[in-house]
Amino acid sequence: MSVSVAYSARQTASCNAATGTIERLGVRIAYSKDEEIFGQEEPADLIYQVVSGAVRTSRLLSDGRRQIGDFYYPGDIFGLESGSEHRFSAEALRDSVILIVKRSALRGQDGAALERAIWEATTRELERTQEHLLLLGRKTACEKVACFLMDVVARCGGHGGELPMGRQDIADYLGLTIETVSRMLSQLQSTSMVEFDALRRFRVMNPQGMARLAA
Amino acid sequence: MSVSVAYSARQTASCNAATGTIERLGVRIAYSKDEEIFGQEEPADLIYQVVSGAVRTSRLLSDGRRQIGDFYYPGDIFGLESGSEHRFSAEALRDSVILIVKRSALRGQDGAALERAIWEATTRELERTQEHLLLLGRKTACEKVACFLMDVVARCGGHGGELPMGRQDIADYLGLTIETVSRMLSQLQSTSMVEFDALRRFRVMNPQGMARLAA
DNA sequence: CGATCGATTGATTCCAATCAACGTGAGTGG
DNA sequence: CCACTCACGTTGATTGGAATCAATCGATCG
């Protein structure tokens, strides 16, 4: 069941400057599927890096509506969304190992490297959030799903991808319902854009077409 | 026509640490209504602060659909959305004066203050963008408009506000059409939530009700 | 082998978009 | 001064895309 193999390339490729430093200063903690890593409105004095597994950040409205902020894969840093208090909670999408560091470990020469890693992760986060904004505000259901799949492909490398999250998580990420996500996936398959080997494993069959849809 | 009075309080209240430094290092430039301050995909080696007037950042899809990132008022810093290249363009909502500083002015003791100002502005930007995300993904048209008005009120102080942007800008900020924005504004008036003295000037009549809608 | 959970598919409803007409207010020029 | 224009906003009628309601399918697990 070691799906993490699919993402192993990223682990070394991304956040290269940070990884060494964070590993030395941080502590590893294992989380099981759906376990909360941190909660909304908790103080945000720690930063987190996915070692293995996958993570989602999410925000709940009082009546239960949910928006997912982003998904994080091995090598990704998360938990730095705000100034002092978390505005999103974070949960493990499946059994995961997370490396945790105190933000205040900004002392000594390791401090500079860590600070730089935090800065890079923050600007990357902002960039992705802005892309997400455009998707939620101005894209159709079909475009949203196509964008999502292409983003997963870009993160995995190659022409296919493995989805560590369920359909409900995808729906809450895209601002859709689970039924609409399902319908769009079916439509993309019937038009030979993608092919699903299993519920969570797919390949892109028509990259140009998908790129056009992902606009 | 000096509407800027309405925002004068913010100018001194926000970004206090930054304002002094940026003023010394930067240069003031005047822009007329709808003039572009920077464009999508231009290099992002400058940062900007609104002195007077107001600014919107926006992003265009190839077919003309537009998403507005945010609106900026006197005292606000903008233009630091990304690593090296702007993903949004910025235009003046009306005649405005903007203070512009090179990012690379990070030398000497002014550098530290500027760096800190940039960091604060970036985390604030991320926070607002995440709030915006939730709004676009999971709120109804009526809730979106109520949130928008309450945000303007919060930025202005007091119980009312002046809108420096037109209905189309509001629509593109909220992921709606101009007609829907207009209808929701009418609805909020007919239910005595707000009152409009003029097209762009309003007062909140039922703060609790509005807060509930803004959820 | 049922039981259960997640995903798909179908039927219908509803919210917001679209299409269209009408107001309104500021600026212009006769 | 008033009629005209033009941009912007509002309101109405209808459509359409995604949500909702409901049934079925499929896989995993006791």
Side-chain angles (χ1 to χ4, degrees):
Chain A
M1 249 270 213
S2 174
V3 190
S4 63
V5 173
Y7 297 107
S8 62
R10 296 201 68 255
Q11 188 161 5
T12 51
S14 71
C15 301
N16 27 47
T19 303
T21 307
I22 295 183
E23 255 171 44
R24 244 176 304 132
L25 297 174
V27 55
R28 281 180 152 69
I29 298 191
Y31 293 90
S32 48
K33 182 167 150 58
D34 290 322
E35 190 177 349
E36 182 177 283
I37 299 169
F38 58 78
Q40 246 169 268
E41 297 176 9
E42 280 182 15
D45 51 352
L46 302 172
I47 61 170
Y48 305 80
Q49 186 178 35
V50 181
V51 175
S52 67
V55 171
R56 68 165 174 261
T57 51
S58 64
R59 180 120 180 243
L60 240 48
L61 245 38
S62 49
D63 62 355
R65 282 174 287 180
R66 187 178 70 151
Q67 178 63 47
I68 287 187
D70 213 344
F71 300 109
Y72 300 89
Y73 305 106
D76 291 343
I77 293 176
F78 64 99
L80 28 65
E81 309 106 23
S82 105
S84 58
E85 222 176 53
H86 285 300
R87 313 171 78 73
F88 283 67
S89 65
E91 301 100 31
L93 281 168
R94 50 165 132 118
D95 295 354
S96 302
V97 175
I98 310 294
L99 192 53
I100 304 182
V101 195
K102 272 216 170 67
R103 270 182 115 97
S104 53
L106 290 168
R107 304 277 156 253
Q109 64 179 37
D110 281 338
L114 183 58
E115 192 166 19
R116 185 158 155 274
I118 292 178
W119 175 252
E120 277 173 15
T122 303
T123 55
R124 179 183 152 79
E125 184 83 14
L126 183 53
E127 241 173 79
R128 285 189 58 83
T129 307
Q130 288 175 331
E131 210 65 32
H132 197 178
L133 207 65
L134 182 64
L135 179 145
L136 290 174
R138 288 300 183 204
K139 291 191 177 171
T140 64
C142 186
E143 289 170 338
K144 285 177 175 180
V145 172
C147 279
F148 172 74
L149 293 179
M150 291 305 275
D151 183 53
V152 170
V153 167
R155 286 186 155 207
C156 292
H159 298 285
E162 179 91 27
L163 303 173
M165 72 295 286
R167 298 293 192 264
Q168 186 64 62
D169 286 328
I170 299 175
D172 287 342
Y173 177 78
L174 298 176
L176 299 171
T177 61
I178 186 176
E179 293 96 330
T180 300
V181 170
S182 187
R183 271 184 252 275
M184 294 304 122
L185 288 174
S186 300
Q187 184 182 315
L188 288 173
Q189 283 175 90
S190 71
T191 54
S192 303
M193 290 298 205
V194 297
E195 219 165 76
F196 273 77
D197 316 343
L199 270 177
R200 296 186 167 195
R201 171 127 205 95
F202 70 96
R203 279 172 304 147
V204 174
M205 307 307 284
N206 183 347
Q208 291 110 326
M210 284 293 280
R212 189 174 36 75
L213 276 178
Chain B
M1 249 265 217
S2 173
V3 190
S4 62
V5 173
Y7 296 106
S8 63
R10 297 200 67 256
Q11 188 160 5
T12 52
S14 70
C15 302
N16 27 49
T19 302
T21 308
I22 295 183
E23 255 171 45
R24 244 175 307 130
L25 297 176
V27 55
R28 282 180 151 72
I29 299 192
Y31 293 89
S32 47
K33 182 164 149 58
D34 290 321
E35 190 177 349
E36 181 176 284
I37 299 169
F38 57 78
Q40 246 171 266
E41 297 176 11
E42 279 181 18
D45 51 352
L46 302 172
I47 60 170
Y48 305 79
Q49 186 178 33
V50 181
V51 174
S52 67
V55 170
R56 67 165 175 262
T57 52
S58 64
R59 180 120 180 242
L60 241 47
L61 244 38
S62 50
D63 62 354
R65 283 175 287 179
R66 187 179 68 153
Q67 178 63 47
I68 286 187
D70 211 345
F71 300 109
Y72 299 89
Y73 305 107
D76 291 343
I77 294 175
F78 66 98
L80 28 64
E81 308 108 24
S82 105
S84 58
E85 223 175 54
H86 285 299
R87 312 172 78 73
F88 284 66
S89 65
E91 301 99 32
L93 282 168
R94 51 164 130 117
D95 294 355
S96 302
V97 176
I98 310 295
L99 192 53
I100 305 183
V101 195
K102 273 217 167 67
R103 273 181 114 100
S104 53
L106 290 168
R107 304 279 157 254
Q109 63 178 36
D110 282 337
L114 183 59
E115 192 167 18
R116 186 158 154 273
I118 291 178
W119 175 252
E120 278 174 15
T122 302
T123 57
R124 177 181 154 77
E125 184 82 16
L126 183 53
E127 242 174 78
R128 285 189 58 82
T129 306
Q130 287 175 330
E131 210 66 32
H132 197 178
L133 208 65
L134 181 64
L135 178 144
L136 289 176
R138 288 301 183 203
K139 291 191 177 171
T140 64
C142 185
E143 288 170 337
K144 285 177 175 181
V145 173
C147 279
F148 172 74
L149 293 178
M150 291 307 273
D151 183 54
V152 170
V153 168
R155 287 183 153 209
C156 293
H159 298 286
E162 178 91 27
L163 303 173
M165 72 296 285
R167 300 292 193 265
Q168 186 63 60
D169 287 328
I170 299 175
D172 287 341
Y173 178 77
L174 298 176
L176 299 171
T177 60
I178 186 176
E179 293 96 329
T180 299
V181 170
S182 187
R183 272 183 253 274
M184 295 303 122
L185 288 174
S186 299
Q187 185 182 314
L188 288 173
Q189 283 177 89
S190 70
T191 54
S192 302
M193 289 299 207
V194 297
E195 217 166 77
F196 274 77
D197 315 344
L199 271 178
R200 296 187 168 194
R201 170 126 206 96
F202 70 96
R203 278 171 305 148
V204 175
M205 306 309 283
N206 182 345
Q208 291 111 325
M210 283 294 281
R212 186 174 40 73
L213 275 178

